[in-house]
């Protein structure tokens, strides 16, 4: 549906979370609009700024939900070449004719590692196109001396990640005068709150705490599959190209893309009730403590032999720290035996996953393939445990991708050659029994 076609369309004065918006306004120095999820906020932003049929440069190492949100907004994803060591957009490797064809640029800031946003901001200004920052993983990261999310025309944050609220997001805006209009657009697209959903949200933390043992986790996962609540058997969700082609044909249309956009979060566009808002406020109030602990864990992990050297000074409070190992499946299994779950895997890259039917392919895909195959994103809050497990398991670091950074040779470090690709190409399954597909970007 186009913006405003559906949704209850009524004011929700009793549930508007002004305090959350004010808190994030203080962090970013920008107008902030509360949204029920990061993906929903991204859809609202794309529909406001981009004309249907526009082309959006984005990272191929990204959650597939983000890819489907771009399609739902009636836009054509364009996959960017990446720096293979942090999966940030490699600006210089994007051809000039691609730059000239774009309607917008969307950053990823994967795991909290910032994209080169000052340079992207300058490039977008020169082209007269908007810059969007996906800051789902980067609520505490900085770039160019400013917070991630303070560079784009709009930025989206997830409050399910560092804050751990399992609900909520923020859409931040460079132009404060747009706040009222985008709140109205948000309200038109929301679905009304449901008592059952609010109660399920309330008991979820207690249910999760009850199944933390490995045996119980397997039983819980099996039960969720029986109930139809688990929609991934591998890292990527099933593409279903024929059905997706029909949905794309009706875009911009969020409802038509709902089977893909809702995966891992069926209440992504649900109006937030008082219970959700109270929990989000409590979690956001403890955010600085979490960020400090994340920064300490990140520093420890970056000092290990599995990490790659970083440019610049200072340590970001990463949401996940990408280590690089030769046999990721074995490392994931070793961590799982200690109850450490590895999620947030994005393999294969989106262009190999979806093919030319749904996206423009990256002109230099090797960096993304190497990163997607070898990156082991681990939680910095469990840094010491993780280092111990990897040491005992004998995990070997992946060779530096020298050939990739030069772009004059085949994929290095044992990266796989691309499969058949395309909409009908096979998707490499992840080690679902060890890690599960992992939660999405929220």
């Amino acid at each position: 549906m186009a913006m405003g076609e559906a949704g209850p369309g009524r004011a929700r004065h009793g549930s508007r979370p002004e305090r959350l918006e004010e808190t994030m306004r203080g962090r970013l120095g920008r107008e902030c609009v509360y949204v029920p999820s990061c993906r929903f906020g991204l859809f609202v932003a794309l529909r406001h700024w981009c004309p249907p049929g526009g082309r959006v440069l984005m990272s191929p190492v990204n959650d597939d939900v983000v890819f489907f949100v771009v399609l739902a907004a009636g836009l054509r994803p364009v996959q960017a070449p990446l720096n293979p060591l942090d999966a940030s957009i490699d600006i210089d490797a994007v051809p000039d004719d691609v730059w000239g064809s774009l309607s917008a640029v969307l950053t990823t800031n994967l795991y909290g590692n910032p994209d080169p946003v000052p340079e992207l901001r300058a490039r977008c200004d020169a082209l007269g196109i908007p810059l969007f920052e996906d800051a789902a993983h980067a609520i505490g990261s900085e770039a160019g001396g400013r917070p991630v999310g303070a560079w784009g025309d709009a930025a989206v944050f997830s409050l399910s990640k560092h804050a751990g609220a399992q609900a909520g997001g923020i859409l931040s805006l460079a132009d404060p005068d747009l706040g009222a209009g985008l709140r109205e657009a948000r309200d038109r697209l929301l679905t009304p709150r449901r008592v059952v959903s609010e109660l399920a949200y309330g008991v979820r933390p207690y249910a999760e705490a009850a199944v933390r043992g490995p045996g119980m986790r397997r039983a819980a996962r099996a039960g969720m599959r029986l109930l139809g609540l688990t929609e991934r058997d591998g890292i990527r969700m099933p593409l279903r190209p024929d059905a997706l082609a029909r949905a794309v044909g009706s875009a911009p249309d969020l409802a038509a893309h709902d089977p893909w956009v809702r995966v891992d979060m069926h209440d992504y566009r649900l109006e937030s009730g008082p219970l959700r808002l109270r929990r989000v406020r409590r979690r956001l109030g403890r955010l600085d403590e979490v960020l400090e602990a994340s920064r300490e864990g990140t520093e420890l992990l970056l000092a290990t032999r599995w990490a790659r050297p970083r440019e610049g000074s200072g340590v970001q409070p990463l949401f996940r720290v990408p280590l690089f190992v030769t046999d990721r499946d074995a490392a994931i299994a070793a961590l799982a035996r200690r109850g450490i779950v590895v999620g947030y895997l994005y393999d294969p890259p989106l262009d190999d996953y979806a093919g030319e039917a749904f996206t423009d392919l990256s002109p230099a895909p090797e960096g993304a393939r190497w990163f997607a195959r070898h990156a082991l994103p681990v939680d910095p809050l469990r840094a010491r445990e993780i280092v111990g497990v990897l040491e005992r398991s004998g995990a070997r670091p992946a060779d530096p991708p020298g050939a990739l950074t030069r772009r004059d040779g085949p994929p290095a470090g044992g990266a796989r050659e691309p499969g058949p690709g395309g909409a009908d190409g096979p998707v490499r399954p992840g080690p679902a029994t060890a890690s599960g597909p992992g939660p999405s970007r929220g």
Side-chain angles (χ1 to χ4, degrees), residues 319-339:
F319 174 62
R320 292 292 183 268
V321 179
L323 305 178
F324 297 94
V325 295
T326 55
D327 188 342
R328 186 175 62 197
D329 290 357
I332 287 174
L335 291 165
R337 287 192 290 271
R338 291 298 303 270

Side-chain angles (χ1 to χ4, degrees), residues 296-357:
E296 292 176 4
T298 297
E299 188 170 16
L300 189 156
L301 289 165
L302 291 180
T304 68
R305 59 197 177 99
W306 305 285
R308 306 312 314 167
R310 307 280 169 153
E311 294 182 1
S313 59
V315 176
Q316 306 279 5
L318 299 186
F319 174 62
R320 292 292 183 268
V321 179
L323 305 178
F324 297 94
V325 295
T326 55
D327 188 342
R328 186 175 62 197
D329 290 357
I332 287 174
L335 291 165
R337 287 192 290 271
R338 291 298 303 270
I340 300 171
V341 176
V342 175
Y344 302 95
L345 298 169
Y346 306 123
D347 183 23
L350 289 171
D351 39 359
D352 290 343
Y353 162 64
E356 291 183 272

Side-chain angles (χ1 to χ4, degrees), residues 393-420:
S393 70
R396 292 187 298 113
D399 293 333
L404 298 180
T405 56
R406 293 193 305 270
R407 295 189 193 87
D408 58 359
R416 70 189 185 287
E417 292 297 323

